[in-house]
């Protein structure tokens, strides 16, 4: 009578499992798919759940908070506006995001038209340079921009104006950071418009600028909407330049993230209010994404497939 050792039995099971997987890989793909979905949902949704737990837990019980709230202290969502004028910080972020989006759409549309529909020497290398600039770290621009906006740069004896704590110190870096990627996205869309449509508009007497506004932009609506939404979200969440170019007061155009930071003082850390403020601050972006999700998906997909 023959006997088998545990190592031999384990090796046999592994060999049979590998053989079945090779002949029927669908089961392995399905398992990996569910693992990836679980990892993605856990990584994206658990931080929001944790914010809800912290926001609903009374301040005196935060030291012993677990995976569920120790109570139901919904008043945190009211105290957020009583301790700090949080709505003003949200308003600052929205106005800065809207202003930057408007500038980016105008300039990127003109640049996208030039790169996408006109032929000139060095067009492709120049477009690659523009795209490469979008990957530069924001810190690389900070020192020269801060000296310029603080009034420390002189030309012919005339010093630059001190515009710190104003939109004039925030909109240029915001615009510069997202402009290259916007140009690249709009260039891809504008290049797909048939020349005949623009030629027909020009035969009717319109200029190139008129053809861009009346023909090219309307036909590239998904791309324009994608650029607008992505720019708004980026600027709404921006903190690097906002933190260094403002004082932290809402009267100095300090943004949303600075407002959340102000719940921490030298002697107190109001974590439950920070959690409630973070949840409230996410609402404008969540609403925007929910409304424009179809345009975003179609814009990103079309841009990826057509070039």
């Amino acid at each position: 009578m023959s006997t088998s050792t545990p190592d031999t039995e384990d090796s046999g099971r592994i060999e049979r499992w590998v053989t079945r997987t090779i002949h029927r890989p669908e089961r392995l793909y399905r398992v990996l798919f569910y693992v990836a979905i679980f990892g993605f949902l856990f990584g994206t949704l658990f931080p929001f759940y944790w914010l809800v737990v912290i926001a609903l837990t009374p301040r005196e019980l935060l030291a012993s908070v677990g995976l569920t709230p120790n109570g139901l202290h919904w008043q945190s969502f009211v105290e957020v506006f009583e301790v700090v004028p949080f709505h003003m910080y949200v308003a600052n972020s929205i106005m800065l995001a809207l202003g930057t989006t408007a500038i980016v759409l105008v300039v990127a549309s003109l640049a996208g038209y030039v790169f996408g529909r006109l032929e000139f020497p060095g067009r492709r290398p120049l477009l690659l340079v523009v795209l490469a600039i979008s990957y530069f770290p924001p810190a690389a621009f900070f020192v020269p921009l801060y000296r310029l906006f603080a009034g420390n740069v002189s030309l012919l004896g005339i010093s630059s104006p001190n515009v710190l704590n104003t939109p004039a110190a925030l909109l240029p870096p915001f615009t510069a950071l997202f402009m290259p990627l916007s140009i690249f996205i709009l260039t891809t869309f504008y290049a797909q418009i048939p020349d005949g449509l623009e030629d027909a508009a020009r035969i009717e007497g319109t200029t190139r600028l008129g053809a861009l506004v009346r023909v090219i932009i309307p036909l590239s609506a998904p791309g324009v909407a994608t650029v607008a939404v992505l720019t708004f979200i980026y600027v709404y969440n921006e903190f690097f330049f906002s933190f260094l170019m403002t004082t932290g007061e809402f009267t100095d155009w300090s943004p949303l993230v600075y407002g959340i930071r102000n719940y921490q003082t030298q002697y107190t850390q109001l974590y439950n209010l920070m959690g409630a403020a973070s949840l409230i601050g996410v609402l404008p972006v969540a609403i925007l994404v929910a409304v424009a999700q179809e345009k975003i998906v179609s814009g990103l997909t079309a841009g990826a497939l057509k070039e």
Side-chain angles (χ1 to χ4, degrees), residues 14-266:
I14 295 174
E15 184 177 352
R16 289 193 296 274
W17 181 82
V18 171
T19 303
R20 286 197 301 269
T21 302
I22 292 175
H23 289 88
R24 299 185 61 187
E26 298 82 6
R27 298 177 62 183
L28 177 62
Y29 296 157
R30 189 179 300 113
V31 172
L32 293 177
F33 172 77
Y34 287 125
V35 171
I37 290 294
F38 175 79
F40 174 76
L41 293 178
F42 181 81
T44 55
L45 297 182
F46 183 76
F48 288 99
Y49 171 74
W50 191 246
L51 285 176
V52 173
V53 171
I54 294 176
L56 294 178
T57 300
R59 192 174 310 155
E60 61 274 12
L61 299 177
L62 283 173
S64 59
V65 66
L67 290 177
T68 57
N70 289 336
L72 192 62
H73 189 71
W74 58 267
Q75 291 84 348
S76 296
F77 292 92
V78 178
E79 294 178 19
V80 161
F81 300 99
E82 296 174 346
V83 177
V84 171
F86 187 66
H87 58 289
M88 298 303 298
Y89 289 97
V90 175
N92 288 344
S93 289
I94 292 177
M95 285 189 282
L96 290 171
L98 290 175
T100 305
T101 302
I103 297 172
V104 166
L105 284 180
V106 172
V107 179
S109 290
L110 295 173
Y113 178 85
V114 171
F115 283 115
R117 305 197 62 80
L118 301 181
E119 290 291 342
F120 56 90
R123 183 179 68 91
R124 187 171 293 278
L126 185 59
L127 183 59
L128 292 177
V129 170
V130 171
L131 182 61
I133 293 175
S134 65
Y135 294 100
F136 285 8
F141 305 101
F142 171 69
V143 173
L145 288 178
Y146 185 85
R147 287 181 55 81
L148 176 65
F149 296 145
N152 295 325
V153 177
S154 298
L155 181 63
L156 300 177
I158 302 175
S159 300
S160 58
N162 186 343
V163 294
L164 294 178
N165 304 314
T166 69
L170 298 172
L171 293 181
F174 292 167
T175 303
L177 287 175
F178 204 76
M179 184 68 72
L181 186 58
S182 301
I183 292 174
F184 187 79
I185 293 174
L186 292 181
T187 296
T188 302
F189 274 88
Y190 291 173
Q192 310 305 319
I193 305 300
D195 294 336
L197 295 176
E198 183 180 356
D199 294 340
R202 295 192 63 189
I203 290 174
E204 293 294 329
T206 187
T207 61
R208 284 192 179 275
L209 183 60
L212 171 64
V213 175
R214 295 186 178 90
V215 178
I216 305 299
I217 291 179
L219 292 175
S220 305
V224 176
T226 300
V227 169
V229 172
L230 293 181
T231 303
F232 183 92
I233 293 174
Y234 170 80
V235 177
Y236 184 81
N237 296 321
E238 204 278 339
F239 183 63
F240 180 78
F241 284 104
S242 303
F243 179 77
L244 298 172
M245 297 290 190
T246 61
T247 62
E249 299 294 331
F250 72 89
T251 53
D252 293 333
W253 289 88
S254 298
L256 161 75
V257 184
Y258 228 139
I260 297 174
R261 183 181 179 275
N262 284 346
Y263 292 109
Q264 179 180 6
T265 65
Q266 183 177 1

